[in-house]
Amino acid sequence: MVLGGGKQFVQDEEKQQLLLEEHTEKHFTAGEVVRDVIIGVSDGLTVPFALAAGLSGANASSALVLTAGLAEVAAGAISMGLGGYLAAKSEADHYHRELQREQDEIDTVPDVEAAEIADILSQYGLAPQEYGPVVTSLRNNPKAWLEFMMKFELGLEKPEPRRALVSAATIALSYVAGGLVPLLPYVFVPEAGRAMAVSVAVTLAALLFFGFVKGRFTGDRPFLSAVQTTIVGALASAAAYAMARAVQSI
Amino acid sequence: MVLGGGKQFVQDEEKQQLLLEEHTEKHFTAGEVVRDVIIGVSDGLTVPFALAAGLSGANASSALVLTAGLAEVAAGAISMGLGGYLAAKSEADHYHRELQREQDEIDTVPDVEAAEIADILSQYGLAPQEYGPVVTSLRNNPKAWLEFMMKFELGLEKPEPRRALVSAATIALSYVAGGLVPLLPYVFVPEAGRAMAVSVAVTLAALLFFGFVKGRFTGDRPFLSAVQTTIVGALASAAAYAMARAVQSI
């Protein structure tokens, strides 16, 4: 039956290739850049917006709200951007450390690593005579063996080299772009109260739109995503407003 | 040779188990809760710190710096916490959508999915007679087949049910904890300039300590991590300070 399975698949190989080619995978995964833009914009739209609303609630002038808001945008962009850079960097370092460790284990304790292949495959109900040939083949192909262990034992994907830098720049710029939306009204409207009203209207609209687009990209229901994103922004600014009021009244 | 490989492994199975038991995996991966604490504290230590420094640079009073700082902490905690909640939620939804889709494909186009198993395994230099038995076995065990495709085709891990809520609470509380450190000096020192000096000293020390601990947990070199984390905080507050000054001088 084992060899039967093998033979059958040798014969079917061409058929398989045809099947694979005509079958386009419909599985969706948001690209990493899209994910970074989403991280940056959603925070950028939310926190400076909430801070500005909070300060307006504390009777600050538009000039001061703008000062605080832009200072926050600068700080947030650098914190998130460099944070994103270091996170991606440390992810890549982690991958290479694990790669080296796995390579060492394959060199020094090959029987253990071979037993780990067997252990992994047996979790899927495979019998020794079924996974045996796989283990034997991988042992004869150390490069493929290493890749197999990285993916199937550790679940680690090879990171792109320039990923960290791109991620940092994307998140930072997205944060600035998002953060300027709620702050612009304070540039043109000197009276903070009025500026806040405009800022709230503009930003809630932006949150709805952005949440919708986000939903489209991440595969969530766009309208649900739009509402959720807007509620987060509204709650955050309400909390900031209440907090500012409370501190003022002390 | 195929059956040979199989036989050999039937015989070696007990030996393998012993090997696996005596071999403790040394691979390190930071727990998700630790990761959430790190996300929250690093941003909490950085952004409110930078904002406070920036406003002090704009000759704001300690009371106002505190108002803005606490408003920012409230906004940031909610934005990051709920953001973390929605992210984890949408990750879980994504997993279940893909699980359903994969199940449908196994039911409706089993030959295609079988060809995908072959395609995945052949990437590791496996010949049809080597992966054939695996494909055959998985086809006879639909539950294991589905799990195999989720992990090895899509690289998706089953999410914990309560993950989203725990993640939200952890990030939010960590952000508040981190954010209070740079703000406390402004509570006790009325003159913003002096308060800033204290805040800078206290927060840089906290960033060094936190970066060191972070490095220990993530497997990075602790001292390097301490320096990197501190530099991010310093750069962010320098940028916020410069931005506040610039806006003021307009």
Side-chain angles (χ1 to χ4, degrees), chain B residues 179-240:
Chain B
L180 290 181
V181 172
L183 295 180
L184 278 179
Y186 294 90
V187 177
F188 303 109
V189 186
E191 201 270 289
R194 275 217 198 70
M196 180 175 92
V198 180
S199 174
V200 167
V202 171
T203 310
L204 289 183
L207 284 165
L208 274 170
F209 172 76
F210 169 73
F212 185 89
V213 174
K214 181 168 97 181
R216 293 295 297 274
F217 271 110
T218 56
D220 297 330
R221 274 162 294 169
F223 284 107
L224 179 64
S225 168
V227 173
Q228 286 177 331
T229 309
T230 310
I231 288 176
V232 173
L235 285 178
S237 56

Side-chain angles (χ1 to χ4, degrees), chain B residues 21-164:
Chain B
E21 281 150 20
E22 78 195 17
H23 172 75
T24 49
E25 272 300 327
K26 276 168 233 64
H27 296 288
F28 177 86
T29 45
E32 287 176 314
V33 173
V34 171
R35 207 199 54 210
D36 288 339
V37 170
I38 288 173
I39 292 171
V41 174
S42 33
D43 241 48
L45 274 176
T46 306
V47 181
F49 166 55
L51 175 63
L55 286 175
S56 312
N59 315 315
S61 70
S62 275
L64 187 81
V65 171
L66 204 57
T67 307
L70 290 175
E72 204 285 337
V73 169
I78 288 178
S79 171
M80 289 190 84
L82 281 184
Y85 174 79
L86 294 177
K89 194 92 183 49
S90 117
E91 216 173 274
D93 296 346
H94 178 65
Y95 176 87
H96 291 105
R97 274 197 306 275
E98 294 300 311
L99 188 74
Q100 188 53 55
R101 200 194 308 249
E102 201 64 45
Q103 182 62 70
D104 296 345
E105 289 182 351
I106 287 174
D107 298 339
T108 56
V109 287
D111 291 346
V112 174
E113 291 301 298
E116 285 177 357
I117 304 175
D119 189 51
I120 292 165
L121 293 176
S122 60
Q123 288 165 18
Y124 296 89
L126 294 170
Q129 70 274 14
E130 290 163 341
Y131 60 67
V134 176
V135 178
T136 311
S137 164
L138 287 175
R139 291 197 75 152
N140 298 331
N141 183 350
K143 196 169 164 307
W145 189 2
L146 179 61
E147 285 167 14
F148 184 92
M149 298 312 282
M150 288 306 285
K151 183 138 203 289
F152 295 162
E153 188 202 351
L154 304 178
L156 294 175
E157 301 282 354
K158 192 175 177 60
E160 294 171 39
R162 296 185 55 261
R163 174 90 197 95

